[in-house]
């Protein structure tokens, strides 16, 4: 199996689906000739032409809205928002339109679109090229929110998202694009939406995380393993709807939980997961459910020292694991 | 790219000034009579909804009174079930003209599970039918225009010819950012889509001069690389001519058009509104002169398509029809409560 | 003290502040001549003129953005969004602009605006005139989110919001407008932002709630009191930042918690509150923290039967209280 | 409401065709020389930032090369600290022209705590100074225009006269919904605000014909009830004339203006961009002809404001200045880590 970067895996999902299914196309700013500012869509314009790799004006509501319209006619649009920080102008189209189309028409219409957006910090993007904006979407029935962490998943989940009959917001951590490599099959395959994956089994503490933080959590788990702390690490993969069964099964086994996300602490998905555990695994808990997240400030600063201070890393996670183990 | 205040009828079949206007446009007597009956029918449903709202049976009414000629005129230019229509809440007459029935509309207005638009989920005014290619909308003003643009983009991608999307909105909607983005994309890509502005001079209470920075909405077209056309929206033939030309233009690869139909909202914005608070008594009194049904009826009588007695009979027939539909709708039971959870996600 | 409806209390806050402070003005759709679709701003146009009660185009980003601009020059704008369902097009201006202005300029600029919006169901508003959209804003550092439940608070909190040096999103439950009356002082007074209020003291269960649900919760508490269940009811009032102290003090006393909100269950503020309790009052808990909220469907349906089925009411809350008491 | 391709200079002081252009416009020799030096200074900072980015000391560079004449020309029309400027990331030259120093810009580019724009929080390109009334912006394209409109609304409310807001953006930004909403509000209320489009023909890689539905952005003005003016954005005098006229018009209650400055982005969009992927070698080679600094230098030499030797000396002085500023900026230590939490809320 070829080794691909996270970014190449996403590109390969797009290329494979576009090759196999004429209904699939990409649209967004700079996704055509340039191949995207991160080069995720590089080559698609050359291969599929300007009608299926469409350079769009700077109009996020227009891009997502046009995707919705095309989906109504049976196409399978994959819209790119250049940075997750710029998805806000499209929030209305995603939440009020795409997510409600099936429900509001009692099933007569549907809206199979994918909205891709790179998110997260660590590339000196400062306040407006670093945000984690998933919390905007994790309270919207009708929507799915997917965040892959490995190249294999990135391809399989994106193909599943494209084939899904409903709208999917698909966030890609931009620091993973080129730093993470992994085996990725050549052909088309799917990883089911709505299911978490246990990336490391352990008996003492469950970590629930996603995106870049999965990798930091795995590193931290290895660190504390040497100290005899046995950590299970769960990659959530889909944030809405959450895979309650996997979450609850893990914590019922370990009886301690740490939730790790790069999004701000307050109002992030961590609260929902903690609430689920508190409600449905209460009797199993040996310690408070802990959350480790970015501080409640707008996003990471441009200054490198502040950026490093803002960001989570394996050391901080290991520290939280030790504290929880000692509880 | 120029603004036309007079519509070219070049693409319309017959052009003999001696003929009555509808014949010049290639419309038969039957079509005119059917439109007149349809407009009267929808006005009856409109009346009925206001009644039902006072009885607590329809919780929301949003009138199309005054807009009927525009909506029926456009409907003539649309092949329902083929072209896509993306309407807004004011388009009850359009829904009926495209094939929905008074029963459909009343089921919708009374929130019944058999409401074809939404299964009783949406407030009245959210017309939808996949079979008729009438696209389901939200209540968010201006957010649907770009769906029509996306449909047109789809035709471009699939290479389908001879098909167009058409979307409807008030002049108030043209201030929304999403409207601008839709117009921009349509203009850049010269997509097969027609934009119809039903300019009734008000966004609820706000008069056009406080919400539209130009006298004519059609002027805005110039910024989007498409023609802007102004028509008298109470004149069904003028509207049809403009809509037909624009749809043909779109279907044949000529690009988008913005049509501004100037007309009057004859009633308050909705049953929650009291328009005497912001329209003067004189203005309100003058509204009756702008009733498009009167206008088409007078035309039909003038050209001998029907006489005053036939008109009386027609009105009574329609009233009886709407009575029957009301009764039928009223008898539909509420949905099972668990249906609240249906249709959230597909399979 | 005069008795005012909830709506009159809000109007009185606006009128009093506009009278006393030339910098205060209102802007929004239909807020001028008509006085707002709910008549909240009725009379302000007549009293203060078209420059201080400004009818605006249908342009939510424009309305909030113009408020931001005016605030930069030192004014105190109060923007009205006609329904909370239509705040989405302004999300970018609220979250990415208003909430970050002070932080991104290291304190050089600030953005004292108030964005008012009626929310909630119960007036047959169906999918797009009934939404609870507060969860869009409760993960944004730099912002404050306020939801009053009583006429006294509505006035005092709104005046505090207007005087607050930072942006405040102020949601008003539209079913309260005319159904709730209460004593409201004539003059100007403030109720501090960021503090919850214990509306009913009790020893067995803490209910955390806000808006219309406060009233339903109080009714439910009275119902179960007759059965010997002693409930404390806390009106959160500010959802961001939360009053952690009051929340934790209450639950440390009662050792059981029920969170009640009209917003959808998943992703609503209830998760955050449950997480806080689970993290900082873990040792005190005698039962799982429960959440009672609207079902995870887009919003209430138009059909009356479905609407009633969707909505919470005192009976449902009382039921949840009994279950929790029995735990 | 008409589109002017030639700007009326009626409000400018002197109008004698025998004089050199700057004198006709009432500009002194010193002013021209100061602008030339300023443009050269900012180009030096630009060069320096690209260098620093290769050294890993400045993580983001967004050039103003090619835009200097537009930004300096507008700055002449702005009373910094009185009128409000609402810039975008491309406006480094504007920031300097309004009073920021090379050190300010370098502190900003290196993310230092003494960066006056953001205390090291924002990426380079987010110029801000309350003292100079340069408004802090986000990176979100098009979202700041409406803040200028809101400032203008504030002047209307307070009754302040003789003050205006001016805002800057690329042609790409004119597709954004928020831009449209700002333009609409300004047009409806005829507010004292000037909109300057720096049309460099690209939104990152997307050429104007794929993102702007009309040839000239100025055409869009017609839909907003304001004049649209086209100027050569590499000609500082043409820009000044248009900006001065528009600002005076705004300040005296005449309403808003849209000015389109046509110019060229001489470098890639940012240090993360490779423009050879979407601009042909010929196009890239031709860019040198559109350097506004060369243009103003030639003008200055032609009119005897300085000679070639003086130009050499000036360039060296400026380089030394920027060297010194770089050194000074580089020595500023990082902020205390707890400062991450400062300025979240006011007192
Ligand atoms: C995004 C949004 N903002 C505000 C509203 C409230 N609203 C409903 S209808 C309306 C006026 C619309 O006016 P116009 O577009 O002229 O259409 P008309 O009703 O006159 O036909 C407003 C402001 C809404 N539904 N959606
Ligand atoms: C809302 C938003 N969408 C997308 C981007 C990404 N982006 C940054 S600059 C840019 C191009 C802007 O082009 P233009 O407005 O013409 O300005 P120029 O850079 O050419 O001066 C884009 C798409 C952004 N910053 N904000
Ligand atoms: Mg209208
Ligand atoms: Mg550009």
């Amino acid at each position: 199996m070829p080794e691909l970067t996270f970014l190449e895996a996403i590109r390969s999902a797009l290329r494979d689906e576009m090759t196999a299914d004429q209904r699939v196309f990409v649209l967004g700013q700079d996704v055509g000739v340039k191949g995207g500012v991160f080069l995720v869509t590089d080559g698609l314009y050359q291969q599929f032409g300007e009608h299926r790799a469409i350079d769009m004006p700077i109009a996020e509501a227009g891009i997502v809205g046009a995707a919705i319209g095309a989906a109504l006619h049976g196409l399978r649009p994959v819209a790119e928002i250049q940075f997750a920080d710029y998805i806000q102008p499209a929030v209305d189209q995603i939440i009020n339109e795409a997510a409600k189309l099936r429900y509001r028409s009692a099933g007569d219409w549907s809206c199979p679109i994918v909205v891709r957006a790179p998110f997260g910090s660590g590339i000196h993007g400062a306040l407006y090229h670093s945000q984690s904006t998933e919390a905007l979407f994790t309270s919207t029935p009708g929507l799915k929110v997917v965040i892959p962490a490995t190249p294999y998943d990135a391809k399989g989940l994106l193909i599943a998202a494209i084939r899904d009959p409903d709208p999917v917001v698909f966030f890609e951590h931009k620091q993973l694009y080129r730093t993470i490599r992994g085996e990725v099959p050549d052909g088309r395959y799917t990883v089911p939406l709505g299911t978490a994956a246990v990336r490391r089994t352990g008996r003492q503490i469950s970590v629930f995380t996603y995106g870049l933080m999965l990798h930091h959590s795995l590193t931290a788990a290895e660190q504390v393993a040497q100290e005899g702390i046995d950590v299970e690490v769960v990659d959530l993969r889909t944030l809405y709807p959450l895979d309650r069964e996997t979450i609850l099964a893990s914590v019922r086994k370990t009886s301690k939980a740490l939730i790790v996300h790069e999004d701000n602490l307050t109002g992030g998905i961590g609260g929902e997961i903690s609430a689920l555990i508190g409600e449905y695994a209460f009797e199993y808990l040996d310690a408070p459910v802990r959350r480790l997240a970015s501080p409640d400030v707008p996003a990471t600063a441009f200054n490198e020292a502040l950026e490093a201070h803002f960001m989570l890393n394996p050391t901080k996670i290991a520290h939280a694991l030790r504290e929880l183990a000692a509880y | 790219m120029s603004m036309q205040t007079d519509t070219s009828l070049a693409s319309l079949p017959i052009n003999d000034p001696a003929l009555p206007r509808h014949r010049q446009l290639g419309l038969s007597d039957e079509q005119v009579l059917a439109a007149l009956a349809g407009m009267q029918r929808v006005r009856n449903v409109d009346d009925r909804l206001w009644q039902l709202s006072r009885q607590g049976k329809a919780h929301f009414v949003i009138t199309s009174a005054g807009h009927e000629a525009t909506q029926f005129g456009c409907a003539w230019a649309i092949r329902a079930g083929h072209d896509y229509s993306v309407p807004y809440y004011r388009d009850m007459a359009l829904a009926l003209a495209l094939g929905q029935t008074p029963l459909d509309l009343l089921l919708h207005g009374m929130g019944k599970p058999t409401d074809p638009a939404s299964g009783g989920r949406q407030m009245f005014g959210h017309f939808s039918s996949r079979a008729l290619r009438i696209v389901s909308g939200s209540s968010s003003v201006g957010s649907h225009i770009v769906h029509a643009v996306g449909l047109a983009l789809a035709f471009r991608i699939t290479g389908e010819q001879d098909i167009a999307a058409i979307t409807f909105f008030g002049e108030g909607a043209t201030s929304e950012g999403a409207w601008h983005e839709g117009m921009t994309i349509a203009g850049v890509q010269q997509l097969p889509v027609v934009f119809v502005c039903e300019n009734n001079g008000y966004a609820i209470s706000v008069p056009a001069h406080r919400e539209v920075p130009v006298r004519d909405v059609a002027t805005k077209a110039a910024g989007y690389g498409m023609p802007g056309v102004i028509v008298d929206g109470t004149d069904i033939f003028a509207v049809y001519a403009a809509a037909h030309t624009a749809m043909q233009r779109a279907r044949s690869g000529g690009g988008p058009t913005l049509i501004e139909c100037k007309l009057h909202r004859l009633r308050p914005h909705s049953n929650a509104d009291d328009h005497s608070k912001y329209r003067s008594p004189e203005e309100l009194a003058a509204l009756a002169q702008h009733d498009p049904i009167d206008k088409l009826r007078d035309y039909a009588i003038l050209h001998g398509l029907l006489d005053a007695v036939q008109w009386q009979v027609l009105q009574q027939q329609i009233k009886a029809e709407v009575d029957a539909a009301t009764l039928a709708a009223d008898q539909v039971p509420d949905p099972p409560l668990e249906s609240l959870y249906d249709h959230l996600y597909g399979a």
Side-chain angles (χ1 to χ4, degrees), chain A residues 82-101:
Chain A
Q82 204 162 81
F83 286 85
D85 316 63
Y86 311 134
I87 204 166
Q88 273 89 341
V91 158
D92 189 46
Q93 287 291 330
I94 296 171
I95 289 183
N96 259 340
E97 302 298 328
K100 296 182 175 51
L101 251 162

Side-chain angles (χ1 to χ4, degrees), chain A residues 80-160:
Chain A
E80 177 177 298
I81 300 293
Q82 204 162 81
F83 286 85
D85 316 63
Y86 311 134
I87 204 166
Q88 273 89 341
V91 158
D92 189 46
Q93 287 291 330
I94 296 171
I95 289 183
N96 259 340
E97 302 298 328
K100 296 182 175 51
L101 251 162
R102 181 188 295 279
Y103 190 83
R104 78 187 184 205
S105 64
D108 202 24
W109 296 96
S110 64
C111 188
I113 66 168
V114 178
V115 180
R116 295 180 40 247
F119 81 109
S121 38
I123 58 155
H124 310 306
L127 304 184
Y128 291 99
H129 292 80
S130 304
Q131 294 177 33
S132 298
T133 52
E134 58 268 28
L136 285 171
F137 303 101
T138 49
S139 57
T140 298
L143 201 61
K144 293 178 181 169
V145 180
V146 175
I147 307 189
T150 69
Y152 181 91
D153 273 7
K155 179 168 180 176
L157 286 168
L158 182 51
I159 294 180

Side-chain angles (χ1 to χ4, degrees), chain A residues 205 207 216-225 227 229 231 258 260 292 312-326:
Chain A
I205 303 177
V207 172
H216 287 354
S217 297
L218 287 169
T219 307
E222 288 310 316
Q223 283 176 15
V224 299
E227 305 157 27
I229 305 174
V231 175
L258 174 70
V260 181
L292 188 64
L312 294 183
N313 55 37
T315 309
K316 292 181 189 177
I317 300 170
H319 180 73
L321 287 170
R322 280 184 208 108
E323 283 200 339
L324 202 49

